[in-house]
Amino acid sequence: MSQTARPRAAVILAAGKGTRMKSSLPKVMHPVGGRPMVDWSVDLARKAGCSEIVVVAHPSQGLLIEHIASLPGDIPVAFQDPPMGTGHAVRCAADALGGFKGALVVLYGDSPLVPADAIEELFSSLEEGATVGVLGFDTREPGLYGRLITSGHGELEAIIEAREATPEQLLVTLCNSGVMAAGAEDMFRLLEKVTNDNAKGEYYLTDLVGLARAAGKRCQAVRCDEEDLIGCDSKADLAEAEAIFQARCRKQALDGGVTLIAPETVFFSYDTKVEPDVVIEPNVVFGPGVTVRSGAQIRAFSHLEGADVGQFASVGPFARLRPGAVLEQAAFVGNFVEVKNVRMAEGAKASHLSYLGDGEVGAGTNIGAGTIFCNYDGFFKYRTTIGDGAFIGSNSALVAPVNIGDGAYVGSGSVVTKDVEAGALAVARGKQVERKGWATAFREKMMARKAEKKKG
């Protein structure tokens, strides 16, 4: 935003019931790229320099209202009840904006892929003299979309609904996205003149263009890619938006020097960070909050969320990193290992079949197969701390809170409930008892019983 530009605000329309989603979850709370769609719109408003953001919701959308309250920045919620169209929804936000006098953009909570530079261009059209700016897209199949009728100079003359368009107007491929910007005072002044004299009895935001033109004001259309403006009214739309998002993430990763062996099988989240020279094998899923450093390898069928993977570290195959998992340089987590809220220092290894929850593993320490950090007593979580260069034998259970010193050994099959000193050996298992001939006698007895049962 230029230093001379007016202050900016956004109204995000999110009151739609989303009946086509066939879900109890509010439509705009359905995720794309690992976060609710409404969060994409909030983030878009912030990237576009909006100092004020208002979300318009229905009072029945308790989950959405709670979610908005949990977001940083104190975002007010305005209520639309009953819903009476997009123009009515924007008017419902007037009080929450508190007399805001800058530039105002109307966004939609179910459109997660709108780029910030398109909104910047929309605001720029206002700075260049337009009273109303409308975001549009060109499409080969305009269908029932409203058409943006422009002059030879690119000015927007009218928004024509498909059902009201002439045959000539139906040939227009520039369509209305619904995203619109105007000076806040201009927008609310024009909204006062919008009527509901139409088949649905609703107040349409699109009427602002006709009203502004009738008053001799200039309106401007701004173009954007069709994919950017997808709105998600159904699970099919949601899947399409997700596919677009994932395709873009994969291309960005490949262009950034990441090796994706089977790109179409790797799934990213909105905030996934992968540095160059990372190798990602097929069927890997990144949940929110993952960073992977240069030289690391993420092997097939692994799931990572809230994790930080260091340089030259290796994860998987079939590994799960949960929130708080930190693998420092050259740490190794192998197949069927789950790590949650544990820092594994440089060169530490857990090669297979282990659960590491809440703790620290020192540099160069080796965790044997079947090791469990027993971190939960049914009420509270406790930490397991293992020093540098330690060796934890296979099938061990470390009952937290417990500390294993530097260089210590834990014998296989041990249940460790007390701290182990540095350099010590801890063996905590029952004494082995052997009964000579017992297995042979038992086997003969059971075979005879089985044969007798077959005769009967």
Side-chain angles (χ1 to χ4, degrees), residues 259-276:
T259 297
L260 303 179
I261 295 173
E264 70 281 1
T265 70
V266 177
F267 291 85
F268 297 92
S269 283
Y270 71 99
D271 60 351
T272 306
K273 298 177 183 177
V274 184
E275 294 182 354

Side-chain angles (χ1 to χ4, degrees), residues 187-307:
M187 185 173 290
F188 288 115
R189 182 168 57 250
L190 291 170
L191 280 171
E192 289 177 358
K193 300 178 181 179
V194 173
T195 70
N196 64 345
D197 186 17
N198 52 62
K200 290 188 175 181
E202 295 184 347
Y203 299 87
Y204 295 135
L205 188 64
T206 51
D207 288 353
L208 266 61
V209 171
L211 291 167
R213 292 284 297 180
K217 304 295 185 180
R218 184 166 70 86
C219 299
Q220 186 73 38
V222 172
R223 280 177 163 82
C224 195
D225 290 341
E226 182 178 4
E227 282 189 344
D228 293 333
L229 296 170
I230 183 172
C232 299
D233 291 323
S234 67
K235 293 293 178 64
D237 293 340
L238 200 65
E240 184 179 354
E242 186 71 38
I244 294 168
F245 170 78
Q246 294 298 338
R248 292 176 176 179
C249 288
R250 293 162 189 155
K251 184 179 186 305
Q252 184 179 18
L254 291 166
D255 291 347
V258 177
T259 297
L260 303 179
I261 295 173
E264 70 281 1
T265 70
V266 177
F267 291 85
F268 297 92
S269 283
Y270 71 99
D271 60 351
T272 306
K273 298 177 183 177
V274 184
E275 294 182 354
D277 292 322
V278 168
V279 176
I280 302 175
E281 293 184 0
N283 299 294
V284 171
V285 175
F286 295 98
V290 175
T291 298
V292 185
R293 313 288 177 178
S294 179
Q297 183 177 32
I298 312 299
R299 303 194 63 190
F301 293 97
S302 294
H303 187 285
L304 295 79
E305 180 179 1

